[in-house]
Amino acid sequence: MSLSILSRMQSSCRSLLRTTCNPIISLRQQLFPSNCTTHLTIQSRGMASKKHKRVIKQAKGFRGRANRTFKAALQRLEKSWQYAYRDRKQKKRNFRKLWIERINAGVRQHGMSYSKFINGSMHSGCELNRKVLADMASNEPFSFKAVVDVVKMMNVRRMNNK
């Protein structure tokens, strides 16, 4: 073989190696030389319908495909609505628990149990609910003490009448 044929084969092998390493870049370089300022643009599709657009908008902030694709977003949204429904009920339970704990702590400082206090407050005609009583126990201890004293007094009267 002649020397010119060998050098041509080597140069073609080098160019082949360059293109196989990163075919996208080499293809761009072939289509658009470096002195050309034209860029490849990626075409993006719009939404299929208003319903799809609304679902994707509601799924904003979800992870993975759930914030981009309609089907995954719809599944995640339905699950999130289930969680929201469940947690609205749990929120009420948790607040009631918190109020009971606060009332119990406040009443025990005055030597009474929670159950006796609630029973006495129902029979004494006290119309303060647990939310208000818990707020009084934590923020207005003197007012709460007055309520506890009234309930204690009514309990004693009720026991004496029996």
Side-chain angles (χ1 to χ4, degrees), residues 45-48 51-60 62-77:
R45 289 179 41 205
M47 290 290 163
K51 179 182 173 185
H52 285 216
K53 191 181 287 189
R54 188 177 69 238
V55 166
I56 296 295
K57 188 176 179 184
Q58 286 177 333
K60 185 178 178 183
F62 290 177
R63 298 180 115 194
R65 286 185 318 140
N67 64 10
R68 292 186 298 273
T69 62
F70 174 74
K71 188 175 179 182
L74 192 60
Q75 290 171 349
R76 283 286 92 208
L77 272 176

Side-chain angles (χ1 to χ4, degrees), residues 143-154:
S143 304
F144 186 70
K145 184 179 182 340
V147 172
V148 172
D149 291 339
V150 167
V151 170
K152 277 184 183 178
M153 188 176 63
M154 295 302 282

Side-chain angles (χ1 to χ4, degrees), residues 10-127:
Q10 285 177 344
S11 65
S12 66
C13 285
R14 278 190 209 121
S15 66
L16 182 64
L17 283 173
R18 256 188 263 127
T19 57
T20 55
C21 289
N22 200 343
I24 296 172
I25 293 175
S26 64
L27 183 63
R28 277 190 186 160
Q29 288 172 351
Q30 289 172 9
L31 291 174
F32 305 107
S34 60
N35 59 359
C36 183
T37 58
T38 311
H39 297 287
L40 288 175
T41 57
I42 298 170
Q43 183 179 4
S44 62
R45 289 179 41 205
M47 290 290 163
S49 66
K50 282 186 180 179
K51 179 182 173 185
H52 285 216
K53 191 181 287 189
R54 188 177 69 238
V55 166
I56 296 295
K57 188 176 179 184
Q58 286 177 333
K60 185 178 178 183
F62 290 177
R63 298 180 115 194
R65 286 185 318 140
N67 64 10
R68 292 186 298 273
T69 62
F70 174 74
K71 188 175 179 182
L74 192 60
Q75 290 171 349
R76 283 286 92 208
L77 272 176
E78 287 174 355
K79 194 65 179 176
S80 72
W81 294 333
Q82 289 174 0
Y83 288 141
Y85 178 81
R86 179 198 68 190
D87 292 340
R88 280 195 297 272
K89 311 298 176 205
Q90 280 185 348
K91 183 180 176 183
K92 293 171 181 67
R93 282 182 231 146
N94 291 338
F95 268 107
R96 185 181 167 95
K97 271 193 226 175
L98 177 70
W99 298 331
I100 289 172
E101 288 171 5
R102 286 182 178 172
I103 294 169
N104 190 18
V107 167
R108 288 195 184 272
Q109 289 176 348
H110 302 293
M112 199 173 189
S113 70
Y114 170 78
S115 60
K116 287 182 181 174
F117 174 74
I118 289 295
N119 187 28
S121 67
M122 296 301 166
H123 286 294
S124 68
C126 176
E127 295 189 10

